[in-house]
């Protein structure tokens, strides 16, 4: 089947109906497509096939055979072997849209299937998926990192728009850096906030979330609106003595967190200096407090 001959509504198969796959399948169904088959390895995934997609779990070959569009929603480290396995089983791939949702991979990972006639797309939803029913509602308005061959670009963008997302074009060569930027912001933020919450609990703060919520909400709003110009705190003020006291306290209470604090404080000082927010002499004092140099 050529893409120009493809019906407006697609038969969708989901390989790996976990947190992401089950939600994207449901989003495509909400847009009018038909989810016809899905597979899952874990008990939780197989339950999502039944509960969220209303199907009996199938094996991967049957999922591909029944579908016009196949979602490959598996962990990144599993994706290359899955694609090779599909190509080697001899299941018919010609003319089928093969869509993976990895942020770090582009189209190259799909090459074994593309050589067998599959139509490759990389559509990465920029959202964290918790496994709750709220995930589907959170899809509205999110960005998708899109990489596709030129002849399939309109198809890729149309699918994202149908899922109520916003397509953002990412070049193949930029996928790893794109994903590093997203993971660094979202994943490391969770770690930093969890670490701060633990430290506050250690000194008797009963509800760290209530204390941190307004502060973090304001900080996030500032950086999204103003960039580095929204920076506040002891580093941008050049308060080297305060920064040193922070480091000393962390070394005693949480040595592993002290290393992260020093690394992030150096990066913060580097950016503040480059933006003209921090004077060179204040930066020198901070460097002494942090025990290193921010210039390379």
């Amino acid at each position: 089947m050529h893409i120009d001959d493809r019906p407006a509504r697609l038969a969708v198969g989901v390989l790996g109906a976990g947190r992401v796959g089950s939600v994207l399948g449901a989003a495509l169904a909400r847009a009018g497509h038909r989810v016809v088959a899905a597979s899952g390895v874990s008990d939780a995934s197989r339950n999502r096939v039944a509960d969220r997609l209303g199907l009996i779990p199938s094996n991967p070959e049957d999922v591909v055979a029944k579908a016009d569009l196949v979602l490959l929603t598996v962990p990144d480290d599993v994706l290359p072997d899955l694609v090779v396995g599909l190509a080697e089983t001899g299941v018919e791939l010609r003319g089928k849209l093969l869509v993976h949702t990895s942020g770090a991979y582009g189209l190259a990972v799909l090459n074994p299937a593309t050589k067998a006639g599959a139509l490759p797309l990389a559509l990465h939803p920029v959202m964290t998926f918790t496994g709750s029913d709220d995930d589907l509602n959170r899809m509205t308005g999110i960005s998708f990192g899109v990489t596709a061959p030129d002849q399939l670009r309109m198809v890729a963008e149309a699918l994202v728009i149908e899922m109520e997302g916003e397509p953002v074009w990412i070049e193949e060569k930029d996928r790893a850096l794109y994903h590093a930027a997203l993971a660094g912001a979202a994943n490391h933020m969770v770690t930093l906030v969890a670490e701060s919450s633990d430290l506050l609990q250690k000194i008797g703060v009963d509800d760290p979330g209530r204390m941190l919520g307004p502060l973090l909400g304001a900080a996030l709003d500032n950086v999204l609106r103003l960039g580095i110009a929204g920076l506040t705190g002891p580093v941008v003020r050049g308060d080297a003595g305060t920064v040193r006291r922070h480091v000393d306290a962390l070394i005693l209470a949480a040595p592993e967190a002290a290393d992260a604090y020093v690394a992030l404080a150096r990066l913060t000082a580097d950016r503040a200096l480059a933006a003209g927010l921090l004077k060179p002499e204040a930066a020198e004092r901070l460097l002494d407090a942090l025990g290193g140099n921010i210039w390379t």
Side-chain angles (χ1 to χ4, degrees), residues 130-189:
T130 65
S132 73
D133 291 337
D134 291 336
D135 287 343
L136 182 59
N137 295 328
R138 292 194 184 105
M139 292 279 292
T140 302
I142 71 169
S143 296
F144 278 71
V146 176
T147 305
D150 288 343
Q151 66 271 26
L152 294 176
R153 180 166 181 161
M154 292 183 64
V155 174
E157 292 178 343
L159 286 171
V160 170
I161 291 169
E162 285 190 322
M163 289 186 283
E164 301 184 5
E166 178 182 350
V168 179
W169 190 255
I170 306 296
E171 295 292 338
E172 176 83 10
K173 63 181 177 60
D174 296 329
R175 293 290 293 199
L177 186 59
Y178 151 80
H179 195 237
L182 298 176
N187 300 162
H188 297 165
M189 179 184 70

Side-chain angles (χ1 to χ4, degrees), residues 12-43:
V12 177
V14 183
L15 289 183
R19 295 179 179 182
V20 178
S22 60
V23 171
L24 294 191
L28 288 168
R30 185 170 63 181
H33 300 287
R34 295 180 300 111
V35 182
V36 295
S39 69
V41 176
S42 69
D43 288 342

Side-chain angles (χ1 to χ4, degrees), residues 209-222 232:
R210 184 175 181 180
M211 178 178 285
L212 289 169
L215 173 67
L216 298 178
L220 181 59
D221 178 67
N222 286 343
T232 64

Side-chain angles (χ1 to χ4, degrees), residues 31-56:
H33 300 287
R34 295 180 300 111
V35 182
V36 295
S39 69
V41 176
S42 69
D43 288 342
S45 293
R46 295 173 69 85
N47 287 337
R48 289 189 183 100
V49 172
D51 297 341
R52 189 165 286 165
L53 301 178
L55 299 169
I56 297 173

